[in-house]
Amino acid sequence: RMVLRQGAVLALGGILVGLGVGLAAAQALRSTLYGVSAADPVTLIFAALLLGGTTLAACYLPARRAASVDPARTLGDS
């Protein structure tokens, strides 16, 4: 749980910063965007969910694998 929580905090921070920078960049490039608004909410939500889900999966898989290892055996091998 600790690894997932730390990963989620980092992911949330990155998503918030990325959304802010993305919205600022979209406003700056508004004249070059065709067929989509500068702040399309569907696109922003989809991108945030995709990145958040990918980050949590990237944290969960190694954490689950590490949790299945016996700590005494791991520390005894050094």
Side-chain angles (χ1 to χ4, degrees):
R1 265 187 273 172
M2 181 181 70
V3 173
L4 285 177
R5 184 176 53 241
Q6 289 175 348
V9 168
L10 287 173
L12 182 61
I15 287 170
L16 291 176
V17 169
L19 285 174
V21 171
L23 286 172
Q27 293 299 325
L29 299 172
R30 178 177 274 188
S31 64
T32 62
L33 296 174
Y34 297 105
V36 67
S37 70
D40 184 32
V42 174
T43 303
L44 294 174
I45 291 170
F46 179 74
L49 290 175
L50 180 67
L51 291 172
T54 303
T55 303
L56 289 179
C59 291
Y60 173 73
L61 296 175
R64 188 183 76 187
R65 185 174 173 198
S68 69
V69 175
D70 180 27
R73 181 173 176 218
T74 303
L75 292 173
D77 288 340
S78 58

PDB file of all heavy atoms in Angstrom, residues 24-66:
ATOM      1  N   ALA A  24      -1.837  25.822 -20.772  1.00  0.00           N
ATOM      2  CA  ALA A  24      -1.110  27.037 -21.145  1.00  0.00           C
ATOM      3  C   ALA A  24      -0.563  26.927 -22.565  1.00  0.00           C
ATOM      4  O   ALA A  24      -0.646  27.874 -23.358  1.00  0.00           O
ATOM      5  CB  ALA A  24       0.022  27.310 -20.155  1.00  0.00           C
ATOM      6  N   ALA A  25      -0.021  25.774 -22.898  1.00  0.00           N
ATOM      7  CA  ALA A  25       0.512  25.572 -24.252  1.00  0.00           C
ATOM      8  C   ALA A  25      -0.610  25.582 -25.286  1.00  0.00           C
ATOM      9  O   ALA A  25      -0.443  26.122 -26.386  1.00  0.00           O
ATOM     10  CB  ALA A  25       1.277  24.259 -24.321  1.00  0.00           C
ATOM     11  N   ALA A  26      -1.748  24.998 -24.943  1.00  0.00           N
ATOM     12  CA  ALA A  26      -2.880  24.983 -25.871  1.00  0.00           C
ATOM     13  C   ALA A  26      -3.383  26.392 -26.130  1.00  0.00           C
ATOM     14  O   ALA A  26      -3.748  26.734 -27.261  1.00  0.00           O
ATOM     15  CB  ALA A  26      -3.997  24.107 -25.317  1.00  0.00           C
ATOM     16  N   GLN A  27      -3.402  27.237 -25.101  1.00  0.00           N
ATOM     17  CA  GLN A  27      -3.815  28.629 -25.287  1.00  0.00           C
ATOM     18  C   GLN A  27      -2.819  29.369 -26.189  1.00  0.00           C
ATOM     19  O   GLN A  27      -3.219  30.174 -27.027  1.00  0.00           O
ATOM     20  CB  GLN A  27      -3.939  29.337 -23.942  1.00  0.00           C
ATOM     21  CG  GLN A  27      -5.057  28.822 -23.074  1.00  0.00           C
ATOM     22  CD  GLN A  27      -6.426  28.994 -23.708  1.00  0.00           C
ATOM     23  OE1 GLN A  27      -6.696  29.956 -24.401  1.00  0.00           O
ATOM     24  NE2 GLN A  27      -7.286  28.019 -23.473  1.00  0.00           N
ATOM     25  N   ALA A  28      -1.549  29.070 -26.010  1.00  0.00           N
ATOM     26  CA  ALA A  28      -0.536  29.723 -26.831  1.00  0.00           C
ATOM     27  C   ALA A  28      -0.607  29.266 -28.280  1.00  0.00           C
ATOM     28  O   ALA A  28      -0.311  30.035 -29.197  1.00  0.00           O
ATOM     29  CB  ALA A  28       0.854  29.444 -26.261  1.00  0.00           C
ATOM     30  N   LEU A  29      -1.018  28.012 -28.485  1.00  0.00           N
ATOM     31  CA  LEU A  29      -1.086  27.450 -29.845  1.00  0.00           C
ATOM     32  C   LEU A  29      -2.508  27.391 -30.380  1.00  0.00           C
ATOM     33  O   LEU A  29      -2.776  26.651 -31.318  1.00  0.00           O
ATOM     34  CB  LEU A  29      -0.476  26.044 -29.837  1.00  0.00           C
ATOM     35  CG  LEU A  29       0.990  25.961 -29.421  1.00  0.00           C
ATOM     36  CD1 LEU A  29       1.412  24.514 -29.268  1.00  0.00           C
ATOM     37  CD2 LEU A  29       1.859  26.658 -30.443  1.00  0.00           C
ATOM     38  N   ARG A  30      -3.403  28.143 -29.795  1.00  0.00           N
ATOM     39  CA  ARG A  30      -4.822  28.088 -30.161  1.00  0.00           C
ATOM     40  C   ARG A  30      -5.043  28.264 -31.668  1.00  0.00           C
ATOM     41  O   ARG A  30      -5.890  27.598 -32.256  1.00  0.00           O
ATOM     42  CB  ARG A  30      -5.590  29.157 -29.407  1.00  0.00           C
ATOM     43  CG  ARG A  30      -7.053  29.202 -29.762  1.00  0.00           C
ATOM     44  CD  ARG A  30      -7.759  30.219 -28.944  1.00  0.00           C
ATOM     45  NE  ARG A  30      -8.122  29.542 -27.708  1.00  0.00           N
ATOM     46  CZ  ARG A  30      -8.887  30.054 -26.773  1.00  0.00           C
ATOM     47  NH1 ARG A  30      -9.341  31.267 -26.908  1.00  0.00           N
ATOM     48  NH2 ARG A  30      -9.184  29.381 -25.699  1.00  0.00           N
ATOM     49  N   SER A  31      -4.292  29.130 -32.313  1.00  0.00           N
ATOM     50  CA  SER A  31      -4.510  29.394 -33.737  1.00  0.00           C
ATOM     51  C   SER A  31      -4.137  28.205 -34.619  1.00  0.00           C
ATOM     52  O   SER A  31      -4.591  28.118 -35.754  1.00  0.00           O
ATOM     53  CB  SER A  31      -3.726  30.634 -34.175  1.00  0.00           C
ATOM     54  OG  SER A  31      -2.339  30.388 -34.035  1.00  0.00           O
ATOM     55  N   THR A  32      -3.313  27.291 -34.110  1.00  0.00           N
ATOM     56  CA  THR A  32      -2.911  26.143 -34.929  1.00  0.00           C
ATOM     57  C   THR A  32      -3.749  24.892 -34.669  1.00  0.00           C
ATOM     58  O   THR A  32      -3.559  23.884 -35.330  1.00  0.00           O
ATOM     59  CB  THR A  32      -1.429  25.797 -34.680  1.00  0.00           C
ATOM     60  OG1 THR A  32      -1.268  25.439 -33.315  1.00  0.00           O
ATOM     61  CG2 THR A  32      -0.536  26.974 -35.023  1.00  0.00           C
ATOM     62  N   LEU A  33      -4.673  24.940 -33.703  1.00  0.00           N
ATOM     63  CA  LEU A  33      -5.513  23.788 -33.405  1.00  0.00           C
ATOM     64  C   LEU A  33      -6.713  23.774 -34.335  1.00  0.00           C
ATOM     65  O   LEU A  33      -7.445  24.749 -34.445  1.00  0.00           O
ATOM     66  CB  LEU A  33      -5.982  23.833 -31.943  1.00  0.00           C
ATOM     67  CG  LEU A  33      -4.895  23.733 -30.882  1.00  0.00           C
ATOM     68  CD1 LEU A  33      -5.501  23.944 -29.504  1.00  0.00           C
ATOM     69  CD2 LEU A  33      -4.203  22.399 -30.961  1.00  0.00           C
ATOM     70  N   TYR A  34      -6.936  22.654 -35.009  1.00  0.00           N
ATOM     71  CA  TYR A  34      -8.051  22.526 -35.942  1.00  0.00           C
ATOM     72  C   TYR A  34      -8.983  21.429 -35.472  1.00  0.00           C
ATOM     73  O   TYR A  34      -8.557  20.307 -35.215  1.00  0.00           O
ATOM     74  CB  TYR A  34      -7.552  22.196 -37.348  1.00  0.00           C
ATOM     75  CG  TYR A  34      -6.682  23.280 -37.934  1.00  0.00           C
ATOM     76  CD1 TYR A  34      -5.312  23.115 -38.016  1.00  0.00           C
ATOM     77  CD2 TYR A  34      -7.238  24.470 -38.370  1.00  0.00           C
ATOM     78  CE1 TYR A  34      -4.508  24.106 -38.540  1.00  0.00           C
ATOM     79  CE2 TYR A  34      -6.454  25.470 -38.897  1.00  0.00           C
ATOM     80  CZ  TYR A  34      -5.090  25.281 -38.986  1.00  0.00           C
ATOM     81  OH  TYR A  34      -4.299  26.271 -39.491  1.00  0.00           O
ATOM     82  N   GLY A  35     -10.256  21.733 -35.339  1.00  0.00           N
ATOM     83  CA  GLY A  35     -11.256  20.727 -35.009  1.00  0.00           C
ATOM     84  C   GLY A  35     -11.356  20.363 -33.547  1.00  0.00           C
ATOM     85  O   GLY A  35     -12.102  19.464 -33.186  1.00  0.00           O
ATOM     86  N   VAL A  36     -10.615  21.018 -32.687  1.00  0.00           N
ATOM     87  CA  VAL A  36     -10.679  20.737 -31.256  1.00  0.00           C
ATOM     88  C   VAL A  36     -10.436  22.042 -30.497  1.00  0.00           C
ATOM     89  O   VAL A  36      -9.680  22.891 -30.940  1.00  0.00           O
ATOM     90  CB  VAL A  36      -9.646  19.651 -30.849  1.00  0.00           C
ATOM     91  CG1 VAL A  36      -8.236  20.144 -30.997  1.00  0.00           C
ATOM     92  CG2 VAL A  36      -9.908  19.154 -29.460  1.00  0.00           C
ATOM     93  N   SER A  37     -11.124  22.200 -29.383  1.00  0.00           N
ATOM     94  CA  SER A  37     -10.930  23.425 -28.607  1.00  0.00           C
ATOM     95  C   SER A  37      -9.617  23.331 -27.822  1.00  0.00           C
ATOM     96  O   SER A  37      -9.063  22.252 -27.636  1.00  0.00           O
ATOM     97  CB  SER A  37     -12.102  23.640 -27.644  1.00  0.00           C
ATOM     98  OG  SER A  37     -12.072  22.688 -26.616  1.00  0.00           O
ATOM     99  N   ALA A  38      -9.172  24.467 -27.354  1.00  0.00           N
ATOM    100  CA  ALA A  38      -7.907  24.500 -26.620  1.00  0.00           C
ATOM    101  C   ALA A  38      -7.999  23.774 -25.283  1.00  0.00           C
ATOM    102  O   ALA A  38      -7.006  23.277 -24.770  1.00  0.00           O
ATOM    103  CB  ALA A  38      -7.478  25.947 -26.398  1.00  0.00           C
ATOM    104  N   ALA A  39      -9.190  23.683 -24.716  1.00  0.00           N
ATOM    105  CA  ALA A  39      -9.371  23.022 -23.416  1.00  0.00           C
ATOM    106  C   ALA A  39     -10.473  21.972 -23.538  1.00  0.00           C
ATOM    107  O   ALA A  39     -11.472  22.024 -22.833  1.00  0.00           O
ATOM    108  CB  ALA A  39      -9.705  24.046 -22.354  1.00  0.00           C
ATOM    109  N   ASP A  40     -10.298  21.013 -24.433  1.00  0.00           N
ATOM    110  CA  ASP A  40     -11.287  19.956 -24.640  1.00  0.00           C
ATOM    111  C   ASP A  40     -11.336  19.070 -23.397  1.00  0.00           C
ATOM    112  O   ASP A  40     -10.384  18.332 -23.116  1.00  0.00           O
ATOM    113  CB  ASP A  40     -10.908  19.140 -25.872  1.00  0.00           C
ATOM    114  CG  ASP A  40     -11.931  18.080 -26.209  1.00  0.00           C
ATOM    115  OD1 ASP A  40     -13.119  18.321 -25.943  1.00  0.00           O
ATOM    116  OD2 ASP A  40     -11.532  17.027 -26.745  1.00  0.00           O
ATOM    117  N   PRO A  41     -12.436  19.111 -22.634  1.00  0.00           N
ATOM    118  CA  PRO A  41     -12.477  18.378 -21.367  1.00  0.00           C
ATOM    119  C   PRO A  41     -12.409  16.861 -21.540  1.00  0.00           C
ATOM    120  O   PRO A  41     -11.800  16.179 -20.722  1.00  0.00           O
ATOM    121  CB  PRO A  41     -13.790  18.811 -20.727  1.00  0.00           C
ATOM    122  CG  PRO A  41     -14.586  19.458 -21.789  1.00  0.00           C
ATOM    123  CD  PRO A  41     -13.644  19.899 -22.854  1.00  0.00           C
ATOM    124  N   VAL A  42     -12.988  16.329 -22.591  1.00  0.00           N
ATOM    125  CA  VAL A  42     -12.959  14.876 -22.801  1.00  0.00           C
ATOM    126  C   VAL A  42     -11.525  14.409 -23.013  1.00  0.00           C
ATOM    127  O   VAL A  42     -11.081  13.414 -22.427  1.00  0.00           O
ATOM    128  CB  VAL A  42     -13.854  14.478 -23.997  1.00  0.00           C
ATOM    129  CG1 VAL A  42     -13.714  13.010 -24.314  1.00  0.00           C
ATOM    130  CG2 VAL A  42     -15.301  14.845 -23.707  1.00  0.00           C
ATOM    131  N   THR A  43     -10.777  15.128 -23.811  1.00  0.00           N
ATOM    132  CA  THR A  43      -9.384  14.771 -24.074  1.00  0.00           C
ATOM    133  C   THR A  43      -8.536  14.890 -22.813  1.00  0.00           C
ATOM    134  O   THR A  43      -7.716  14.009 -22.516  1.00  0.00           O
ATOM    135  CB  THR A  43      -8.804  15.672 -25.180  1.00  0.00           C
ATOM    136  OG1 THR A  43      -9.612  15.544 -26.344  1.00  0.00           O
ATOM    137  CG2 THR A  43      -7.379  15.296 -25.514  1.00  0.00           C
ATOM    138  N   LEU A  44      -8.730  15.963 -22.060  1.00  0.00           N
ATOM    139  CA  LEU A  44      -7.950  16.165 -20.834  1.00  0.00           C
ATOM    140  C   LEU A  44      -8.247  15.080 -19.798  1.00  0.00           C
ATOM    141  O   LEU A  44      -7.325  14.543 -19.177  1.00  0.00           O
ATOM    142  CB  LEU A  44      -8.231  17.544 -20.255  1.00  0.00           C
ATOM    143  CG  LEU A  44      -7.763  18.730 -21.095  1.00  0.00           C
ATOM    144  CD1 LEU A  44      -8.220  20.036 -20.480  1.00  0.00           C
ATOM    145  CD2 LEU A  44      -6.264  18.701 -21.264  1.00  0.00           C
ATOM    146  N   ILE A  45      -9.508  14.751 -19.612  1.00  0.00           N
ATOM    147  CA  ILE A  45      -9.884  13.713 -18.645  1.00  0.00           C
ATOM    148  C   ILE A  45      -9.353  12.354 -19.087  1.00  0.00           C
ATOM    149  O   ILE A  45      -8.814  11.592 -18.279  1.00  0.00           O
ATOM    150  CB  ILE A  45     -11.408  13.692 -18.438  1.00  0.00           C
ATOM    151  CG1 ILE A  45     -11.844  14.948 -17.699  1.00  0.00           C
ATOM    152  CG2 ILE A  45     -11.844  12.447 -17.688  1.00  0.00           C
ATOM    153  CD1 ILE A  45     -13.343  15.151 -17.653  1.00  0.00           C
ATOM    154  N   PHE A  46      -9.505  12.034 -20.369  1.00  0.00           N
ATOM    155  CA  PHE A  46      -9.015  10.746 -20.870  1.00  0.00           C
ATOM    156  C   PHE A  46      -7.506  10.630 -20.684  1.00  0.00           C
ATOM    157  O   PHE A  46      -7.004   9.592 -20.235  1.00  0.00           O
ATOM    158  CB  PHE A  46      -9.380  10.574 -22.351  1.00  0.00           C
ATOM    159  CG  PHE A  46      -8.880   9.287 -22.931  1.00  0.00           C
ATOM    160  CD1 PHE A  46      -9.486   8.085 -22.615  1.00  0.00           C
ATOM    161  CD2 PHE A  46      -7.780   9.277 -23.772  1.00  0.00           C
ATOM    162  CE1 PHE A  46      -9.015   6.889 -23.136  1.00  0.00           C
ATOM    163  CE2 PHE A  46      -7.302   8.089 -24.304  1.00  0.00           C
ATOM    164  CZ  PHE A  46      -7.926   6.895 -23.979  1.00  0.00           C
ATOM    165  N   ALA A  47      -6.775  11.680 -21.012  1.00  0.00           N
ATOM    166  CA  ALA A  47      -5.316  11.643 -20.877  1.00  0.00           C
ATOM    167  C   ALA A  47      -4.913  11.494 -19.412  1.00  0.00           C
ATOM    168  O   ALA A  47      -4.003  10.719 -19.086  1.00  0.00           O
ATOM    169  CB  ALA A  47      -4.706  12.903 -21.472  1.00  0.00           C
ATOM    170  N   ALA A  48      -5.589  12.220 -18.517  1.00  0.00           N
ATOM    171  CA  ALA A  48      -5.266  12.131 -17.090  1.00  0.00           C
ATOM    172  C   ALA A  48      -5.550  10.727 -16.552  1.00  0.00           C
ATOM    173  O   ALA A  48      -4.744  10.165 -15.803  1.00  0.00           O
ATOM    174  CB  ALA A  48      -6.055  13.174 -16.302  1.00  0.00           C
ATOM    175  N   LEU A  49      -6.681  10.152 -16.932  1.00  0.00           N
ATOM    176  CA  LEU A  49      -7.015   8.798 -16.469  1.00  0.00           C
ATOM    177  C   LEU A  49      -6.047   7.755 -17.036  1.00  0.00           C
ATOM    178  O   LEU A  49      -5.640   6.831 -16.329  1.00  0.00           O
ATOM    179  CB  LEU A  49      -8.453   8.447 -16.848  1.00  0.00           C
ATOM    180  CG  LEU A  49      -9.539   9.192 -16.086  1.00  0.00           C
ATOM    181  CD1 LEU A  49     -10.922   8.843 -16.646  1.00  0.00           C
ATOM    182  CD2 LEU A  49      -9.470   8.889 -14.609  1.00  0.00           C
ATOM    183  N   LEU A  50      -5.690   7.906 -18.294  1.00  0.00           N
ATOM    184  CA  LEU A  50      -4.755   6.967 -18.910  1.00  0.00           C
ATOM    185  C   LEU A  50      -3.384   7.026 -18.233  1.00  0.00           C
ATOM    186  O   LEU A  50      -2.805   5.991 -17.882  1.00  0.00           O
ATOM    187  CB  LEU A  50      -4.614   7.268 -20.406  1.00  0.00           C
ATOM    188  CG  LEU A  50      -3.680   6.365 -21.178  1.00  0.00           C
ATOM    189  CD1 LEU A  50      -4.254   4.945 -21.241  1.00  0.00           C
ATOM    190  CD2 LEU A  50      -3.475   6.901 -22.580  1.00  0.00           C
ATOM    191  N   LEU A  51      -2.882   8.226 -18.006  1.00  0.00           N
ATOM    192  CA  LEU A  51      -1.578   8.361 -17.353  1.00  0.00           C
ATOM    193  C   LEU A  51      -1.618   7.910 -15.901  1.00  0.00           C
ATOM    194  O   LEU A  51      -0.685   7.263 -15.414  1.00  0.00           O
ATOM    195  CB  LEU A  51      -1.093   9.804 -17.449  1.00  0.00           C
ATOM    196  CG  LEU A  51      -0.707  10.266 -18.846  1.00  0.00           C
ATOM    197  CD1 LEU A  51      -0.431  11.757 -18.864  1.00  0.00           C
ATOM    198  CD2 LEU A  51       0.497   9.497 -19.349  1.00  0.00           C
ATOM    199  N   GLY A  52      -2.696   8.238 -15.196  1.00  0.00           N
ATOM    200  CA  GLY A  52      -2.834   7.793 -13.808  1.00  0.00           C
ATOM    201  C   GLY A  52      -2.925   6.281 -13.703  1.00  0.00           C
ATOM    202  O   GLY A  52      -2.287   5.668 -12.841  1.00  0.00           O
ATOM    203  N   GLY A  53      -3.701   5.668 -14.564  1.00  0.00           N
ATOM    204  CA  GLY A  53      -3.820   4.205 -14.561  1.00  0.00           C
ATOM    205  C   GLY A  53      -2.517   3.509 -14.905  1.00  0.00           C
ATOM    206  O   GLY A  53      -2.146   2.506 -14.287  1.00  0.00           O
ATOM    207  N   THR A  54      -1.807   4.061 -15.869  1.00  0.00           N
ATOM    208  CA  THR A  54      -0.507   3.494 -16.242  1.00  0.00           C
ATOM    209  C   THR A  54       0.489   3.600 -15.092  1.00  0.00           C
ATOM    210  O   THR A  54       1.228   2.656 -14.810  1.00  0.00           O
ATOM    211  CB  THR A  54       0.047   4.219 -17.481  1.00  0.00           C
ATOM    212  OG1 THR A  54      -0.900   4.114 -18.541  1.00  0.00           O
ATOM    213  CG2 THR A  54       1.365   3.623 -17.921  1.00  0.00           C
ATOM    214  N   THR A  55       0.488   4.730 -14.412  1.00  0.00           N
ATOM    215  CA  THR A  55       1.393   4.918 -13.283  1.00  0.00           C
ATOM    216  C   THR A  55       1.076   3.956 -12.144  1.00  0.00           C
ATOM    217  O   THR A  55       1.981   3.350 -11.558  1.00  0.00           O
ATOM    218  CB  THR A  55       1.318   6.367 -12.778  1.00  0.00           C
ATOM    219  OG1 THR A  55       1.634   7.245 -13.854  1.00  0.00           O
ATOM    220  CG2 THR A  55       2.275   6.594 -11.625  1.00  0.00           C
ATOM    221  N   LEU A  56      -0.206   3.795 -11.831  1.00  0.00           N
ATOM    222  CA  LEU A  56      -0.576   2.875 -10.755  1.00  0.00           C
ATOM    223  C   LEU A  56      -0.240   1.429 -11.114  1.00  0.00           C
ATOM    224  O   LEU A  56       0.201   0.666 -10.258  1.00  0.00           O
ATOM    225  CB  LEU A  56      -2.052   3.026 -10.415  1.00  0.00           C
ATOM    226  CG  LEU A  56      -2.404   4.326  -9.700  1.00  0.00           C
ATOM    227  CD1 LEU A  56      -3.900   4.396  -9.434  1.00  0.00           C
ATOM    228  CD2 LEU A  56      -1.628   4.468  -8.416  1.00  0.00           C
ATOM    229  N   ALA A  57      -0.429   1.055 -12.370  1.00  0.00           N
ATOM    230  CA  ALA A  57      -0.045  -0.292 -12.798  1.00  0.00           C
ATOM    231  C   ALA A  57       1.467  -0.480 -12.700  1.00  0.00           C
ATOM    232  O   ALA A  57       1.945  -1.537 -12.284  1.00  0.00           O
ATOM    233  CB  ALA A  57      -0.521  -0.554 -14.227  1.00  0.00           C
ATOM    234  N   ALA A  58       2.209   0.557 -13.061  1.00  0.00           N
ATOM    235  CA  ALA A  58       3.670   0.480 -12.981  1.00  0.00           C
ATOM    236  C   ALA A  58       4.152   0.399 -11.539  1.00  0.00           C
ATOM    237  O   ALA A  58       5.235  -0.128 -11.280  1.00  0.00           O
ATOM    238  CB  ALA A  58       4.289   1.692 -13.674  1.00  0.00           C
ATOM    239  N   CYS A  59       3.378   0.901 -10.602  1.00  0.00           N
ATOM    240  CA  CYS A  59       3.732   0.790  -9.181  1.00  0.00           C
ATOM    241  C   CYS A  59       3.239  -0.528  -8.593  1.00  0.00           C
ATOM    242  O   CYS A  59       3.920  -1.139  -7.770  1.00  0.00           O
ATOM    243  CB  CYS A  59       3.124   1.941  -8.386  1.00  0.00           C
ATOM    244  SG  CYS A  59       3.837   3.530  -8.752  1.00  0.00           S
ATOM    245  N   TYR A  60       2.060  -0.963  -8.993  1.00  0.00           N
ATOM    246  CA  TYR A  60       1.432  -2.137  -8.396  1.00  0.00           C
ATOM    247  C   TYR A  60       2.177  -3.428  -8.734  1.00  0.00           C
ATOM    248  O   TYR A  60       2.416  -4.256  -7.845  1.00  0.00           O
ATOM    249  CB  TYR A  60      -0.021  -2.252  -8.862  1.00  0.00           C
ATOM    250  CG  TYR A  60      -0.687  -3.523  -8.422  1.00  0.00           C
ATOM    251  CD1 TYR A  60      -1.060  -3.703  -7.097  1.00  0.00           C
ATOM    252  CD2 TYR A  60      -0.921  -4.562  -9.315  1.00  0.00           C
ATOM    253  CE1 TYR A  60      -1.664  -4.867  -6.675  1.00  0.00           C
ATOM    254  CE2 TYR A  60      -1.516  -5.734  -8.904  1.00  0.00           C
ATOM    255  CZ  TYR A  60      -1.889  -5.879  -7.594  1.00  0.00           C
ATOM    256  OH  TYR A  60      -2.471  -7.044  -7.179  1.00  0.00           O
ATOM    257  N   LEU A  61       2.536  -3.611  -9.976  1.00  0.00           N
ATOM    258  CA  LEU A  61       3.152  -4.882 -10.382  1.00  0.00           C
ATOM    259  C   LEU A  61       4.464  -5.166  -9.652  1.00  0.00           C
ATOM    260  O   LEU A  61       4.628  -6.247  -9.081  1.00  0.00           O
ATOM    261  CB  LEU A  61       3.310  -4.922 -11.897  1.00  0.00           C
ATOM    262  CG  LEU A  61       1.979  -4.891 -12.665  1.00  0.00           C
ATOM    263  CD1 LEU A  61       2.233  -4.796 -14.167  1.00  0.00           C
ATOM    264  CD2 LEU A  61       1.121  -6.085 -12.331  1.00  0.00           C
ATOM    265  N   PRO A  62       5.416  -4.233  -9.596  1.00  0.00           N
ATOM    266  CA  PRO A  62       6.639  -4.512  -8.832  1.00  0.00           C
ATOM    267  C   PRO A  62       6.390  -4.617  -7.324  1.00  0.00           C
ATOM    268  O   PRO A  62       7.050  -5.404  -6.639  1.00  0.00           O
ATOM    269  CB  PRO A  62       7.556  -3.337  -9.136  1.00  0.00           C
ATOM    270  CG  PRO A  62       6.999  -2.682 -10.322  1.00  0.00           C
ATOM    271  CD  PRO A  62       5.547  -2.999 -10.355  1.00  0.00           C
ATOM    272  N   ALA A  63       5.442  -3.843  -6.795  1.00  0.00           N
ATOM    273  CA  ALA A  63       5.152  -3.915  -5.364  1.00  0.00           C
ATOM    274  C   ALA A  63       4.572  -5.275  -4.993  1.00  0.00           C
ATOM    275  O   ALA A  63       4.924  -5.838  -3.957  1.00  0.00           O
ATOM    276  CB  ALA A  63       4.182  -2.800  -4.972  1.00  0.00           C
ATOM    277  N   ARG A  64       3.693  -5.791  -5.826  1.00  0.00           N
ATOM    278  CA  ARG A  64       3.116  -7.111  -5.571  1.00  0.00           C
ATOM    279  C   ARG A  64       4.194  -8.195  -5.630  1.00  0.00           C
ATOM    280  O   ARG A  64       4.249  -9.086  -4.799  1.00  0.00           O
ATOM    281  CB  ARG A  64       2.016  -7.416  -6.589  1.00  0.00           C
ATOM    282  CG  ARG A  64       1.253  -8.690  -6.239  1.00  0.00           C
ATOM    283  CD  ARG A  64       0.239  -8.999  -7.273  1.00  0.00           C
ATOM    284  NE  ARG A  64       0.979  -9.551  -8.414  1.00  0.00           N
ATOM    285  CZ  ARG A  64       0.438  -9.827  -9.580  1.00  0.00           C
ATOM    286  NH1 ARG A  64      -0.814  -9.557  -9.796  1.00  0.00           N
ATOM    287  NH2 ARG A  64       1.148 -10.354 -10.546  1.00  0.00           N
ATOM    288  N   ARG A  65       5.076  -8.067  -6.586  1.00  0.00           N
ATOM    289  CA  ARG A  65       6.164  -9.042  -6.723  1.00  0.00           C
ATOM    290  C   ARG A  65       7.099  -8.970  -5.519  1.00  0.00           C
ATOM    291  O   ARG A  65       7.515  -9.992  -4.972  1.00  0.00           O
ATOM    292  CB  ARG A  65       6.929  -8.779  -8.004  1.00  0.00           C
ATOM    293  CG  ARG A  65       7.984  -9.792  -8.288  1.00  0.00           C
ATOM    294  CD  ARG A  65       8.592  -9.545  -9.640  1.00  0.00           C
ATOM    295  NE  ARG A  65       9.715 -10.436  -9.836  1.00  0.00           N
ATOM    296  CZ  ARG A  65      10.646 -10.263 -10.741  1.00  0.00           C
ATOM    297  NH1 ARG A  65      10.589  -9.246 -11.557  1.00  0.00           N
ATOM    298  NH2 ARG A  65      11.628 -11.098 -10.849  1.00  0.00           N
ATOM    299  N   ALA A  66       7.436  -7.771  -5.080  1.00  0.00           N
ATOM    300  CA  ALA A  66       8.333  -7.611  -3.926  1.00  0.00           C
ATOM    301  C   ALA A  66       7.664  -8.088  -2.646  1.00  0.00           C
ATOM    302  O   ALA A  66       8.331  -8.627  -1.755  1.00  0.00           O
ATOM    303  CB  ALA A  66       8.741  -6.152  -3.787  1.00  0.00           C
TER     304      ALA A  66
END
